[in-house]
């Protein structure tokens, strides 16, 4: 990123000397202290790799005509990384073609498209690895059709088709809030973009096109990844690059003054140092690490023999698989993603059998069929005569499929919360969770954001399990602890509202649900629960007002529309 800043600075006519290193390092510090980038670095995601390939391609294009052709091999490599990598390289590739003389453009594309195809052969490892029946074999891409479905994200697209290309504004506002965390950076990026469009219009259009494509991908193609901070890497890198150019433009007036240059560089370095010191490094406060959450230092070591762990998040699945198959902590365990229980390649690994006879279909089944297969797989795991203990990272994906009489909170807190075992009220794990929290963090509790989020989630699972068992007071205690640990957790306030309603405390339930809506207005469940409470306490008019507020906030849900129609019919009947 620093070199990209210096190369772009040279295109603007500024000297390529030590005066440009201050703004360049400012861009680097900004990206390194961006919370989304930090989370990706400590988690298991692919978007940082896509950003690296994009940066290498852009660097090649900016170094001149002879080196620009190297962008095409990077484009081939991007096909084996993530779909967003090649997608974001398209403006840069077009720029390398348009920079050639008109008569030689077709020959240039033909010659370098072959080099891109050569490096794209990296995807051959997918069918070869699948033939070896590897641990992670999503989609079983052994045929050309299955390989194409895997590379184009057919499974993800079919799973989240309702959320893609939607009209909800909440994901866009959430992404904007994440990108504006260093709000002063935008003040430098705007003049940087204007200066770039004036002095080097072609370069400015390419950079802004990359920004526009990344924002479009985040908001319309993958809005479900915004809340988990999986997106925005390329957008923030572009903003940081434009801010470096803006800072260079601001400092260019001091180029002829040694004192002015020194003061400008010192101010930029001081700002970068302040960024590093104030950044919310996840492990700085209490040393909370990924291995403690999901890997070899987690609850895996305490599980019963031959247990099956059904993970939900990418980090949990990856850390658990690494602990089992690389560190060999518990080779007797089995780990599989809960969302993919319908996939025979996953079920075969944990149970030794499949659900569908005959050849595998070339495309993932429809959503309804996947839910049916997942429920059948879950029932087969539970009713197996040689049943293995089953633990879940979270209960949400399987609550509809699992027999609720068998789901209960695990006695192995805090991160494998739900199991097929029902504890008696005397052994309810809330006290054990409290003692583990005090033993790990002391009287002050968890301080880093990542630790607060995970321990709040643990209390949330215990609270929901208590609700399933009809133990409302225990549920309220657990959910109160959850929102005390992480007051920004919308789902915690929503679940607390449900528990308080079941306890008959409607005013406090409504207040908790309004807090949940304020934190995450895009979640329809909180709106529906609040409408139900207002209907009980204040009548249909206030319930209708709540539902109309949900629609005005961009929430589109068939349950809201159905409830509004029912309230309208009730009103007509009352009027008659």
């Amino acid at each position: 990123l620093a070199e990209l800043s210096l190369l772009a600075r040279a295109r603007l006519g500024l000297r390529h000397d030590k005066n440009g290193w201050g703004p360049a390092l400012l861009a680097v510090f900004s990206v390194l202290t961006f919370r989304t980038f930090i989370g990706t670095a400590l988690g298991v995601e692919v978007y940082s790799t896509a950003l690296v390939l994009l940066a290498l391609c852009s660097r090649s294009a900016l170094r001149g005509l002879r080196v620009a052709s190297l962008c095409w091999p990077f484009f081939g490599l991007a096909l084996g990384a993530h779909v967003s990598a090649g997608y974001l390289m398209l403006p840069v590739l077009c720029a390398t073609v348009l920079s050639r003389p008109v008569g030689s453009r077709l020959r240039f594309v033909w010659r370098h498209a072959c080099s891109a195809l050569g490096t794209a052969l990296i995807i051959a490892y997918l069918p070869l690895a699948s033939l070896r029946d590897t641990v992670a074999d999503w989609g079983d891409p052994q045929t050309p059709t299955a390989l194409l479905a895997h590379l184009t994200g057919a499974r993800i697209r079919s799973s989240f088709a309702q959320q893609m290309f939607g009209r909800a504004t909440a994901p866009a506002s959430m992404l904007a809030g994440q990108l504006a965390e260093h709000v002063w950076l935008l003040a430098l990026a705007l003049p940087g973009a204007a200066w770039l469009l004036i002095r080097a219009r072609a370069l400015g259009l390419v950079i802004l096109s990359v920004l526009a494509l990344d924002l479009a991908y985040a908001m319309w193609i993958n809005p479900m990844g915004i809340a988990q901070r999986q997106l925005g890497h390329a957008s923030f890198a572009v903003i940081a690059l434009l801010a470096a150019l803006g800072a260079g433009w601001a400092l260019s007036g001091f180029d002829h003054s040694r004192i002015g240059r020194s003061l400008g560089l010192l101010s930029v370095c001081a700002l970068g140092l302040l960024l590093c010191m104030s950044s919310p490094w996840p492990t700085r406060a209490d040393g909370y690490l990924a291995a403690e959450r999901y890997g070899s230092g987690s609850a895996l070591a305490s599980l019963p023999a031959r247990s099956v762990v059904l993970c939900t998040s990418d980090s949990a699945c990856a850390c658990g698989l690494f602990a089992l198959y690389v560190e060999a902590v518990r080779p007797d365990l089995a780990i599989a993603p809960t969302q993919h229980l319908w996939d025979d390649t996953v079920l075969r690994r944990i149970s030794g059998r499949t659900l569908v006879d005959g050849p595998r279909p070339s495309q993932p089944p429809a959503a309804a069929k996947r839910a049916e297969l997942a429920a059948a797989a879950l029932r087969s795991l539970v009713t197996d005569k040689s049943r293995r203990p089953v633990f879940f990272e979270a209960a949400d994906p399987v609550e509809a499929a699992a027999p609720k009489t068998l789901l209960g909170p695990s006695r192995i807190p805090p991160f494998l919360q739900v199991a097929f075992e029902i504890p008696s009220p005397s052994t309810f794990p809330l006290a054990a969770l409290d003692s583990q929290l005090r033993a790990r963090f002391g009287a002050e509790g968890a301080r880093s954001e990542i630790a607060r989020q995970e321990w709040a989630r643990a209390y949330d699972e215990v609270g929901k399990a208590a609700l399933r068992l009809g133990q409302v007071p225990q549920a309220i205690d657990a959910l109160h602890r959850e929102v005390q640990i992480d007051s920004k957790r919308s789902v915690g306030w929503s679940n607390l509202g449900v528990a308080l309603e079941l306890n008959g405390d409607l005013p406090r339930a409504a207040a908790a649900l309004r807090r949940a809506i304020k934190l995450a207005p895009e979640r329809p469940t909180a709106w529906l629960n609040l409408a139900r409470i207002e209907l009980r306490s204040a009548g249909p008019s206030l319930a209708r007002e709540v539902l109309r507020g949900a629609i005005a906030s961009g929430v589109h849900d068939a349950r809201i529309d159905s409830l509004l129609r029912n309230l309208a019919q009730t009103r007509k009947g009352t009027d008659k």
Side-chain angles (χ1 to χ4, degrees), residues 91-123:
V92 185
L93 291 177
C94 292
T96 62
V97 174
L98 295 176
S99 62
R100 293 305 195 271
V102 176
S104 63
R105 289 175 182 172
L106 186 61
R107 186 169 63 253
F108 173 82
V109 172
W110 172 252
R111 184 169 67 249
H112 293 291
C114 293
S115 67
L117 289 174
T119 54
L121 289 176
I122 192 174
I123 64 175

Side-chain angles (χ1 to χ4, degrees), residues 452-518:
R452 291 198 306 272
Q453 290 175 349
E454 291 304 323
W455 282 81
R457 189 171 64 85
Y459 278 101
D460 185 72
E461 292 296 340
V462 170
K464 290 190 297 185
L467 286 178
R468 285 193 298 271
L469 298 174
Q471 300 176 2
V472 178
Q474 291 91 333
I476 292 175
D477 289 342
L479 296 171
H480 264 305
R481 285 170 171 78
E482 174 188 1
V483 296
Q484 287 173 355
I485 293 173
D486 186 3
S487 60
K488 297 181 180 179
R489 184 174 168 84
S490 169
V491 68
W493 287 104
S494 181
N495 291 333
L496 178 59
V498 173
L500 290 170
E501 180 192 5
L502 292 175
N503 204 40
D505 193 345
L506 297 185
R508 292 178 62 201
L513 289 167
R514 291 187 185 279
R515 181 75 175 267
I517 289 171
K518 183 177 180 181

Side-chain angles (χ1 to χ4, degrees), residues 26 183-193 239 242-248 250 271:
L26 178 64
V183 65
W184 56 269
L185 206 62
L186 298 176
L188 290 174
L190 291 175
I239 292 173
L242 294 175
L245 296 178
L271 189 56

Side-chain angles (χ1 to χ4, degrees), residues 46-47 50 75 78-90 150-153 157 217 221:
V46 295
Y47 298 99
F75 177 72
L79 298 179
H82 188 263
V83 65
S84 63
Y87 169 74
L88 295 177
M89 286 184 191
L90 293 178
H150 179 84
L151 293 175
T152 56
R157 287 187 285 107
Y217 175 82
I221 299 178

Side-chain angles (χ1 to χ4, degrees), residues 525-545:
T525 304
W527 289 99
L528 286 164
N529 289 334
L530 180 60
R532 187 183 64 250
I533 290 175
E534 298 295 4
L535 181 62
R536 290 180 56 188
S537 60
S541 60
L542 195 52
R544 283 193 296 270
E545 183 180 335

